[in-house]
Amino acid sequence: YYTGYAVGSNSNNRPAGIRVANEVSDFNPSNDDGIVEEITIRNNFVFDCKGGIEAFAYSPNLKFKLRNSRVQNNTIVRTKDSARGLWISAYQSGVAVQNNIVNSTGGVSLAGGISNQANYTGNPGFTNGTGNDPWNYRLGSGSACRDTGVSASGVSKDYWGNARPYNNVLDIGAHEYRP
């Protein structure tokens, strides 16, 4: 369960971002169905990393299936060498990817069948949008991500712990705008 983290760096030694992978399958792939389930990744800021939020198999020979999991209301900005901001390579059932900002990255790549709702890849209109402080990536007053999200199970607070939604509709990203 990843929630309320800020992951980023302004150096060449960048962190990988947030990864969910099949390390368990690495030990005994022949007896493992590769299912990873009940993962929630919510309200995180990921900026200037090697990758954004990823769920994948380390090797094509290893099994990986994501099941009954949620990637909701995250803000992902500037991945190194335009790596994908959101990447989920395989799923089994019940995976929702909702209300995420994916900006200045290689975009979104999701396996077929994943619920992909209200993820925003354009310019979100941040208050500042530079540096490695989450405060700079708050939604500005004219942001296209304000009041445009979809209802998302379990989302009741933003990164700072403020109640959401503010105006009866969720904002997209880790920050819920307040004037």
Side-chain angles (χ1 to χ4, degrees), residues 5 7 25 29 33 54 75 112 137 147 175:
Y5 288 96
V7 181
S25 294
D33 61 10
E54 304 170 334
T75 298
Y137 299 93
D147 300 330
H175 171 244

Side-chain angles (χ1 to χ4, degrees), residues 1 9 46 54 62 69 74 76 78-79 82 84 86 112 114 117 119 128 132-133 135 143 147-148 157-158 166 177:
Y1 191 97
S9 173
V46 180
E54 304 170 334
L62 299 174
S69 297
N74 298 284
I76 305 157
R78 289 188 313 275
T79 54
S82 296
R84 289 172 284 217
L86 266 173
I114 292 177
Q117 299 174 307
N119 295 298
N128 181 327
N132 59 358
D133 183 347
W135 193 253
S143 173
D147 300 330
T148 57
K157 297 183 185 273
D158 72 359
Y166 176 72
Y177 177 84

Side-chain angles (χ1 to χ4, degrees), residues 6-175:
V7 181
S9 173
N10 57 4
S11 72
N12 288 330
N13 189 16
R14 297 175 187 201
I18 297 174
R19 287 185 167 177
V20 176
N22 63 338
E23 287 91 346
V24 174
S25 294
D26 291 349
F27 298 108
N28 193 354
S30 62
N31 292 330
D32 188 353
D33 61 10
I35 293 175
V36 178
E37 61 185 338
E38 304 297 332
I39 301 292
T40 299
I41 302 173
R42 179 185 299 137
N43 289 337
N44 299 285
F45 284 93
V46 180
F47 43 86
D48 293 325
C49 289
K50 292 177 185 173
I53 296 175
E54 304 170 334
F56 62 97
Y58 275 112
S59 164
N61 300 328
L62 299 174
K63 300 172 186 172
F64 178 83
K65 297 175 190 163
L66 193 60
R67 178 168 69 189
N68 300 331
S69 297
R70 306 275 178 265
V71 178
Q72 301 167 313
N73 290 90
N74 298 284
T75 298
I76 305 157
V77 182
R78 289 188 313 275
T79 54
K80 181 176 171 57
D81 300 325
S82 296
R84 289 172 284 217
L86 266 173
W87 175 38
I88 301 176
S89 67
Y91 93 105
Q92 185 175 28
S93 63
V95 177
V97 179
Q98 303 166 304
N99 302 331
N100 298 284
I101 293 173
V102 183
N103 180 252
S104 297
T105 72
V108 176
S109 178
L110 303 176
I114 292 177
S115 174
N116 180 11
Q117 299 174 307
N119 295 298
Y120 190 81
T121 58
N123 181 345
F126 294 128
T127 55
N128 181 327
T130 62
N132 59 358
D133 183 347
W135 193 253
N136 294 341
Y137 299 93
R138 293 171 294 131
L139 300 178
S141 60
S143 173
C145 295
R146 287 183 50 208
D147 300 330
T148 57
V150 296
S151 178
S153 174
V155 177
S156 61
K157 297 183 185 273
D158 72 359
Y159 172 83
W160 287 277
N162 296 315
R164 59 166 66 195
Y166 176 72
N167 282 335
N168 299 318
V169 178
L170 287 173
D171 290 349
I172 297 173
H175 171 244

